[in-house]
Amino acid sequence: MTTELVPTPAGDARITLRPAAAPKALLALGHGAGGGIEARDLVALAEALPPRGISVALVEQPWRVAGKRLGPAPKTLDTGWTPVAERLAGPGLPLVVGGRSAGARVACRTGAATGAVGVVALAFPLHPPGKPEKSRAEELLESGLPTLVVQSAADPFGGPEEFPALPAGHELVALPYGSHGFEVPKRAPMGQDDLLELITAAVGDWVLGLL
């Protein structure tokens, strides 16, 4: 594992890279607006995918690197992400960009412009909780790249059944349980590790299918 600071117009971002021994692709993942790269799904992907030939770069936005508690406006998030993605695209491996929640939105908005070949949208916040009329579907539908959406059944930001019909090249994986943070309730008939295995298997299969 290596870490690297990358200058951006929004401040320094930080890459934590988990390299594969014989990499076939690089998956860059951003975090949400209320947390960092310690999110359970991001950690699970960084552990599970390198053995499958997919290097994983967990990217901390400049506001997190600077120790701030709240994320800035979407435009600033894009500014803090784009130079990192462009840097990661440089070595020549196929680059897939993505993230969870706000990080998924950033990847959808900027992926095509950074040279990525696909987008992984984890817990895409389709709308604010309780406000389905304020849809963000356009960002997802117009990503311009093959896009994988991984969504939990009980996500208050939009369950799988709320998503519109996706264009060709987009795929939706509906998880049977889990919150916006992919937390499985204790009463569920499957455990937390089981759900994370579903996520890592789906993302790994999809990324390798792009190659």
Side-chain angles (χ1 to χ4, degrees):
M1 182 177 70
T2 62
T3 60
E4 177 187 2
L5 289 177
V6 178
T8 83
D12 287 346
R14 182 162 49 220
I15 300 171
T16 299
L17 178 65
R18 297 285 185 92
K24 304 171 186 175
L26 173 60
L27 174 61
L29 295 170
H31 52 78
I37 60 171
E38 70 278 0
R40 58 173 60 84
D41 49 329
L42 302 184
V43 170
L45 288 163
E47 292 175 352
L49 295 192
R52 299 189 63 184
I54 304 169
S55 296
V56 177
L58 301 181
V59 179
E60 292 173 87
Q61 280 270 355
W63 66 271
R64 285 283 296 188
V65 176
K68 298 177 182 177
R69 293 186 178 183
L70 295 176
K75 184 177 181 180
T76 304
L77 292 177
D78 293 354
T79 299
W81 169 266
T82 300
V84 179
E86 291 173 344
R87 183 180 186 89
L88 291 171
L93 282 176
L95 173 67
V96 179
V97 293
R100 72 156 5 264
S101 195
R105 294 181 65 192
V106 172
C108 286
R109 291 192 299 259
T110 64
T114 59
V117 299
V119 175
V120 173
L122 304 163
F124 185 86
L126 187 63
H127 57 70
K131 297 180 179 179
E133 72 280 1
K134 294 187 177 182
S135 176
R136 299 161 178 150
E138 184 177 347
E139 293 178 349
L140 180 67
L141 298 175
E142 298 183 1
S143 67
L145 294 170
T147 301
L148 176 70
V149 183
V150 181
Q151 206 76 8
S152 288
D155 193 328
F157 289 82
E161 74 285 350
E162 296 181 62
F163 280 73
L166 299 179
H170 284 47
E171 182 179 338
L172 174 63
V173 174
L175 302 174
Y177 303 97
S179 64
H180 188 61
F182 296 136
E183 181 178 5
V184 177
K186 293 181 180 179
R187 65 182 181 279
M190 70 185 308
Q192 185 68 63
D193 289 344
D194 297 323
L195 189 78
L196 291 174
E197 286 177 10
L198 285 179
I199 294 169
T200 58
V203 173
D205 291 347
W206 188 82
V207 170
L208 293 175
L210 291 175
L211 307 181

